[in-house]
Amino acid sequence: MAAINCVGTLHAKPGSEEALASLLNEFVDTIEAGDPGTLAFGFFEGDAPGSYYAVEVYKSSEDALGHLANVGPLLGRLGDLLDPDRHERLQVFGDPSPALREQYDNFDAIYRAPYRAF
């Protein structure tokens, strides 16, 4: 299974809810315009205002690395809007390459090896 699937949870800093929602729109627009290897990407409302789940699907580790390069300028801004006290680890499903693991380790990733998947 070459595909890489990720689920991340985002929580806005108090008072940053609107700024985070606006930035998430920028992410989707940037990804739609420049991530040909992204099979699916979206933000879904969480349980509390200003909380979201990010769901990502890439064809391969190389495509996920291309995605990170594409959204790189937005990632710093994202970090400024997230509540560090509500941090949740990035869930990565699949078998990412060593280069992708190195990048995902910056997001405190947990890796879930496939048992049976297609």
Side-chain angles (χ1 to χ4, degrees), residues 15 19 27 31 39 59 74-75 83-84 89-91 109 115-116:
F27 264 90
I31 294 162
L39 298 175
K59 291 180 190 175
L74 300 174
L75 291 173
D83 186 345
R89 299 176 73 183
L90 176 68
Q91 301 281 323
Y115 166 69
R116 184 170 182 223

Side-chain angles (χ1 to χ4, degrees), residues 14-115:
S16 296
E17 294 84 0
E18 287 184 33
L20 178 59
S22 177
L23 182 59
L24 298 184
N25 289 322
E26 277 188 66
F27 264 90
V28 173
D29 291 343
T30 299
I31 294 162
E32 282 183 319
D35 276 22
T38 299
L39 298 175
F41 187 96
F43 295 105
F44 300 84
E45 293 180 358
D47 296 329
S51 293
Y52 301 91
Y53 292 99
V55 178
E56 312 170 30
V57 181
Y58 306 99
K59 291 180 190 175
S60 67
S61 290
E62 293 74 25
D63 291 311
L65 286 166
H67 160 78
L68 291 172
N70 186 38
V71 299
L74 300 174
L75 291 173
R77 291 173 47 205
L78 178 65
D80 292 340
L81 298 173
L82 298 180
D83 186 345
D85 295 330
R86 298 184 67 200
H87 169 74
E88 294 185 39
R89 299 176 73 183
L90 176 68
Q91 301 281 323
V92 179
F93 302 88
D95 188 19
S97 68
L100 184 56
R101 280 180 179 261
E102 184 176 324
Q103 293 298 310
Y104 280 162
D105 285 346
N106 294 319
F107 301 99
D108 196 25
I110 297 173
Y111 301 99
R112 309 290 185 194
Y115 166 69

